[in-house]
Amino acid sequence: MTNHWIDIRNADCIMIIGSNAAENHPVSFKWVTKAIENGAKLISVDPRFTRTSSKAHIYAPIRSGTDIAFIGGMMNYILNDMEENPDNYNMEYVTQYTNAAFVVNPDYAFSDGLFGEVKDGQYTAAAKATWKYADSETPSTDPTLTDPHCVFQLLKQHYSRYDVETVCSITGTPEDVYLDVCRTYCATGVKGKAGTIMYAMGTTQHTYGTQNVRSYAVLQLLLGNMGVAGGGINALRGTSNVQGSTDMCLLSHILPGYLAAPVESDTNLEAYLARARPSVITPQGLTGDKSSNWWGNYKKYIVSLLKAWYGDAVTADNDYCFSYLPKCDTSVNYTHIGIIEAMGRGIIKGLWVWGQNPASGGPNSNGARNALANLDWLVSVDIWMNETAEFWKRPGIEPADIGTEVFVLPAACSYEKEGSISNSGRWAQWRYKAVDPPGEAMADLEIMHLVMLKLKELYAEDAQAPQREAVTNLVWDYGTHVTSDAVAKEINGYDSTGKLVENFTNLMDDGTTSSGNWLYCNMYTESAGNKAKKREPVDSHPAQIGLYSDWSWCWPLNRRIIYNRASVDLDGVPWDSEHPVIFSYTPETKWQGDVPDGGWAPINQADDGAKYLPFIMKPEGVARLLGFGLKDGPFPEAYEPWESPLTSSLMSGTKTDPCAFVGSYMNPRGTPEEFPYVGTTYRCTEHWQTGIMTRNLPWLVQLMPEMFVEMDEELAAEKGIKNGDRVIVESARGEIEAVALVTMRFQPMQVNGQTIYHVGVLNHWGYSGMAKGDTGNILTPHVGDANTTIPEYKTFLCNVRKVE
């Protein structure tokens, strides 16, 4: 989240899209309710009329997988209205704080759904070069926004195709409802107003999920809603520590603190930095004339990370132990889908599964279960037996035919261990151990500790082991038992004297400082101790806007709203005087309010050459309406899902995202002739994830005992299905049996004259636990987002029939 949970109450309008926050994030909805009590409007955009929709002022039905068309039409509405009624928008924000005025390479071209030439599922380097500024170091700008090659005009041209009629023919949203959404949400573009977007997996789990989020960002920037109280784009994380696990490099393409994972061409540290560290871009013609390009500190952060891992072994002479880091092959996909594909082909022979259940939770579950049988060994670490640990004895399988050796390590649950969690709002909060874990169960950290001690022992004994020093030189000095407190200190980091570093501005690039994650440097200091333990229930912000800065600690530097220097004008005056984030800058007292995103003076008060622009993580200092860092284009473009009920795209001649990842292992593709309905997955309140924690609790099993699927009354009548009937839902990859829930929550949609029906399925069930049933992920395809490979759980083709 760019903002945080409590800040939602400051919004004038809230759009919840790709999320059913009322059921799946009920605590967050407390703040939505508070905003409504303060006069805010709520918009719910969802294929299904949910409990969130029931509280909304506007419910906009949408065909699953058509977010970019929906948001693109809103952009078109804004861009047209902005020229006719500029006073309705914060034009100073748009021209001075975004790259709207930047002049782009004149060779930029878009044609028939493509931004240049695509080869083997990737845009060519030549095509990507045209997405950048005409001058890559000192780009010229046109603050009048009239230059035909400036970002604003290219944006306007791109989304001119997204008129209301076209958009609604794609999304299935009634035109009058859609226009109501546009008018209501776009009213937050006025200075002093704020709108926020709340989204979850309904947004991201598509072959163009990253571009879905990008479209939200562009919309918010056009409305001046980034960096302000009550604004932002706010991801509703699905579990209590998804944000923290991502910060600590759960994903395959990053190291802790969102540093890039090394690749094979990174032959040394300098080669790595030349690839990963952005060069500063200094725009010409804006009032602001300086970019802090914070990622320019890359070397400090990677060297301090290596120092945290390898201690005294890190020296300038050995390139700070950079050679110890494994290097990725850029032709290999290391994500969840990529790993399952490699297992299926026999490339991966051993697998650790830690707090995860791919036999039920991953896409194309039948394929994942078959792939597990190709392993020599599997280690499952969990608090209960799950489908992955028991895949070898699942229904229809002869255990003697499975050659995989399975080891199960019982783990402690969250109440049986101590440590921090980082919530969606980036707040790191310390949780204390309540009871000891049962039997032989251990905290994950203790299990990792024992494994690492044994690995170091084995590598020390084997002088011929490859990359031996990467393990033997690893600092692992926790003693007999590791504590979360010791790890928290290591993550914060130490200075050259052995004291805890005060914050990441003190990190060095010469190997004299350490930090296990630069973003968390300042969480644990000599002066304040472990700040994640802070619990002061008083909002110390002078305007009482709900920051609660002394409750827990928030990265970076306890900043509660990131990019908050965009919340003030060029003179440093807040756009919203009622909800100022930072304010009242003087050279003596600096900024008041939140921790500023860079403590420099307001642009109009600063000296020439020191007028720092507000978006400090961008090399040009401003936010990007046109972004050239993604694989599938500089602007979000509407495509169809990999499996679509339509025979062609209604927006262009390019039907699907040209760069989407498509798996080949047991991944047949369905057609609308055989599978005419749109399937989509979601959660129910009573169960969580694959159900291992909830289907083992008898009271929750009693509340929600069986797998069910939802369908609308018209489809059910056509199929002869009544509420409570047992039905089979089938896709090209398999079939599931469930109880039919015939409901008005789904309604048929008209898409370009074609009636579209949705079928809703859940993924909480499996063959382990107290309550058993099929998982909806048997139906989902092995395809993923072009940039992240997150699976396309939310849209696939299926058919449904009554069990006779």
Side-chain angles (χ1 to χ4, degrees):
M1 297 173 76
T2 58
N3 296 43
H4 59 92
W5 293 118
I6 300 172
D7 182 66
I8 293 168
R9 77 183 195 193
N10 295 320
D12 295 292
C13 188
I14 301 162
M15 182 160 62
I16 300 180
I17 181 169
S19 165
N20 178 13
E23 290 186 75
N24 294 327
H25 297 85
V27 175
S28 75
F29 210 77
K30 164 186 177 181
W31 302 109
V32 175
T33 302
K34 188 67 175 177
I36 292 172
E37 291 172 354
N38 293 337
K41 299 292 185 182
L42 173 62
I43 300 168
S44 170
V45 184
D46 202 295
R48 184 173 61 120
F49 188 87
T50 66
R51 288 190 174 99
T52 301
S53 309
S54 73
K55 298 299 181 183
H57 299 88
I58 304 172
Y59 166 61
I62 183 174
R63 176 167 64 95
S64 182
T66 61
D67 296 55
I68 291 174
F70 191 97
I71 300 298
M74 295 179 71
M75 292 185 214
N76 185 40
Y77 177 94
I78 293 168
L79 292 164
N80 289 326
D81 192 47
M82 191 174 275
E83 290 193 329
E84 295 179 9
N85 301 291
D87 290 343
N88 290 344
Y89 301 92
N90 191 340
M91 298 308 298
E92 183 179 320
Y93 186 109
V94 173
T95 58
Q96 298 294 333
Y97 293 169
T98 79
N99 66 357
F102 285 48
V103 177
V104 177
N105 188 322
D107 293 330
Y108 167 86
F110 174 81
S111 178
D112 206 21
L114 296 175
F115 297 91
E117 185 181 12
V118 177
K119 286 186 177 180
D120 301 322
Q122 300 289 332
Y123 278 101
T124 64
K128 289 183 177 180
T130 67
W131 305 349
K132 298 183 179 181
Y133 306 132
D135 184 329
S136 60
E137 296 181 357
T138 55
S140 59
T141 64
D142 174 22
T144 69
L145 306 181
T146 57
D147 189 302
H149 296 296
C150 78
V151 169
F152 183 86
Q153 290 298 326
L154 295 178
L155 187 74
K156 191 171 188 296
Q157 180 182 4
H158 186 86
Y159 290 106
S160 64
R161 300 143 54 230
Y162 289 65
D163 59 89
V164 172
E165 183 178 357
T166 301
V167 166
C168 293
S169 71
I170 294 171
T171 64
T173 312
E175 290 188 17
D176 59 335
V177 174
Y178 184 71
L179 282 169
D180 199 11
V181 170
C182 291
R183 285 189 292 265
T184 302
Y185 194 76
C186 297
T188 64
V190 176
K191 291 180 183 180
K193 296 292 185 181
T196 192
I197 296 176
M198 298 168 62
Y199 72 93
M201 297 304 180
T203 291
T204 57
Q205 290 175 346
H206 297 277
T207 44
Y208 33 79
T210 302
Q211 292 284 17
N212 281 346
V213 179
R214 268 278 298 150
S215 72
Y216 302 170
V218 175
L219 179 70
Q220 289 292 72
L221 291 169
L222 288 173
L223 296 171
N225 279 333
M226 297 298 291
V228 303
I233 51 172
N234 294 304
L236 311 189
R237 301 302 196 177
T239 67
S240 60
N241 199 32
V242 169
Q243 183 64 57
S245 63
T246 308
D247 300 339
M248 298 297 169
C249 85
L250 177 74
L251 303 178
S252 61
H253 67 292
I254 53 174
L255 299 176
Y258 301 93
L259 301 172
V263 299
E264 288 179 337
S265 61
D266 298 331
T267 53
N268 54 39
L269 180 59
E270 285 307 312
Y272 167 79
L273 292 171
R275 178 182 64 86
R277 180 176 57 189
S279 298
V280 66
I281 299 173
T282 305
Q284 308 298 301
L286 299 182
T287 306
D289 60 12
K290 184 78 170 179
S291 167
S292 69
N293 185 30
W294 202 265
W295 278 120
N297 295 298
Y298 224 96
K299 187 174 182 181
K300 296 178 182 180
Y301 304 151
I302 184 66
V303 171
S304 293
L305 175 63
L306 290 165
K307 181 72 171 182
W309 287 348
Y310 292 108
D312 292 340
V314 170
T315 67
D317 292 339
N318 67 8
D319 207 22
Y320 305 103
C321 294
F322 180 77
S323 63
Y324 291 174
L325 298 180
K327 311 300 188 292
C328 296
D329 180 344
T330 55
S331 67
V332 175
N333 188 299
Y334 296 95
T335 66
H336 176 101
I337 290 180
I339 288 173
I340 299 297
E341 293 271 325
M343 286 163 46
R345 295 192 296 271
I347 295 172
I348 292 176
K349 304 304 293 184
L351 181 70
W352 282 81
V353 180
W354 216 300
Q356 193 177 1
N357 190 13
S360 186
N364 190 9
S365 294
N366 284 337
R369 293 164 188 176
N370 281 356
L372 291 170
N374 290 336
L375 297 172
D376 290 339
W377 56 265
L378 165 68
V379 180
S380 174
V381 186
D382 215 311
I383 59 177
W384 271 291
M385 297 295 287
N386 60 30
E387 283 73 20
T388 301
E390 297 186 313
F391 85 95
W392 53 275
K393 62 175 183 178
R394 68 188 187 274
I397 294 297
E398 177 56 53
D401 295 337
I402 304 296
T404 308
E405 186 174 10
V406 179
F407 303 88
V408 176
L409 302 180
C413 80
S414 58
Y415 310 109
E416 298 162 355
K417 57 190 176 185
E418 183 180 31
S420 69
I421 60 166
S422 298
N423 72 7
S424 300
R426 298 169 285 108
W427 292 20
Q429 302 178 88
W430 201 259
R431 294 201 302 199
Y432 297 91
K433 178 180 176 180
V435 295
D436 290 329
E440 296 181 271
M442 292 184 182
D444 303 87
L445 187 58
E446 193 69 26
I447 297 173
M448 294 177 195
H449 179 53
L450 295 175
V451 170
M452 197 63 222
L453 289 176
K454 190 62 178 179
L455 278 174
K456 286 180 69 68
E457 178 186 321
L458 293 172
Y459 271 85
E461 294 172 352
D462 185 357
Q464 304 304 314
Q467 279 290 87
R468 179 171 177 265
E469 291 80 8
V471 178
T472 57
N473 285 343
L474 187 71
V475 175
W476 204 268
D477 54 1
Y478 303 111
T480 305
H481 294 285
V482 62
T483 68
S484 297
D485 189 77
V487 175
K489 289 180 179 178
E490 181 182 347
I491 289 170
N492 182 89
Y494 296 90
D495 64 19
S496 59
T497 69
K499 292 186 176 182
L500 292 165
V501 180
E502 186 65 25
N503 62 61
F504 54 67
T505 65
N506 301 121
L507 296 178
M508 308 297 289
D509 63 7
D510 58 2
T512 58
T513 60
S514 72
S515 177
N517 187 327
W518 72 274
L519 277 175
Y520 282 74
C521 188
N522 181 244
M523 189 182 86
Y524 207 134
T525 64
E526 297 287 344
S527 58
N530 188 345
K531 298 179 184 178
K533 295 181 178 180
K534 294 173 71 174
R535 293 294 185 273
E536 179 58 58
V538 175
D539 185 10
S540 57
H541 190 283
Q544 299 281 292
I545 65 170
L547 296 189
Y548 290 92
S549 299
D550 292 317
W551 183 283
S552 74
W553 178 88
C554 178
W555 69 257
L557 299 178
N558 206 31
R559 184 175 301 128
R560 303 289 158 138
I561 297 177
I562 58 178
Y563 296 124
N564 55 31
R565 286 181 65 247
S567 70
V568 298
D569 65 16
L570 297 172
D571 293 314
V573 178
W575 306 115
D576 183 354
S577 59
E578 187 178 347
H579 304 102
V581 184
I582 60 172
F583 57 95
S584 298
Y585 177 89
T586 69
E588 295 75 29
T589 61
K590 307 301 181 184
W591 292 100
Q592 305 300 303
D594 196 10
V595 177
D597 218 342
W600 309 287
I603 288 173
N604 279 346
Q605 293 186 35
D607 296 333
D608 290 345
K611 297 178 180 292
Y612 281 93
L613 293 158
F615 286 84
I616 67 173
M617 302 307 292
K618 294 299 180 186
E620 59 272 71
V622 297
R624 291 177 177 174
L625 300 173
L626 175 141
F628 39 81
L630 297 182
K631 293 181 179 180
D632 49 351
F635 293 132
E637 169 66 4
Y639 300 111
E640 285 296 307
W642 187 64
E643 288 186 343
S644 167
L646 308 186
T647 56
S648 62
S649 169
L650 300 179
M651 188 58 73
S652 74
T654 304
K655 183 178 179 182
T656 59
D657 191 309
C659 304
F661 180 87
V662 179
S664 59
Y665 179 68
M666 295 183 64
N667 191 39
R669 190 176 192 176
T671 65
E673 291 75 25
E674 188 175 3
F675 304 102
Y677 312 125
V678 176
T680 187
T681 65
Y682 45 84
R683 301 180 184 181
C684 64
T685 302
E686 295 81 5
H687 289 298
W688 191 57
Q689 306 292 64
T690 63
I692 290 305
M693 292 183 69
T694 53
R695 284 188 291 110
N696 283 289
L697 302 177
W699 48 92
L700 292 179
V701 170
Q702 185 176 12
L703 284 171
M704 190 60 69
E706 287 190 85
M707 169 68 175
F708 65 90
V709 300
E710 292 191 77
M711 66 190 74
D712 67 76
E713 294 172 323
E714 185 175 307
L715 175 60
E718 181 180 310
K719 291 287 186 176
I721 295 170
K722 295 180 180 178
N723 200 45
D725 285 347
R726 298 201 70 80
V727 296
I728 289 176
V729 183
E730 182 183 14
S731 78
R733 291 154 296 279
E735 65 179 38
I736 65 171
E737 184 174 329
V739 175
L741 177 57
V742 180
T743 176
M744 296 175 64
R745 287 192 287 266
F746 278 122
Q747 291 290 321
M749 291 184 176
Q750 292 301 311
V751 174
N752 198 37
Q754 179 180 341
T755 302
I756 301 295
Y757 299 103
H758 284 83
V759 177
V761 300
L762 299 144
N763 58 10
H764 301 306
W765 276 268
Y767 43 78
S768 298
M770 294 179 62
K772 296 176 172 60
D774 290 330
T775 172
N777 282 328
I778 289 173
L779 308 174
T780 52
H782 231 222
V783 299
D785 172 74
N787 297 280
T788 66
T789 324
I790 191 170
E792 191 161 58
Y793 293 107
K794 297 307 179 191
T795 312
F796 56 90
L797 291 179
C798 66
N799 208 336
V800 61
R801 68 181 187 273
K802 182 178 178 180
V803 174
E804 299 297 343

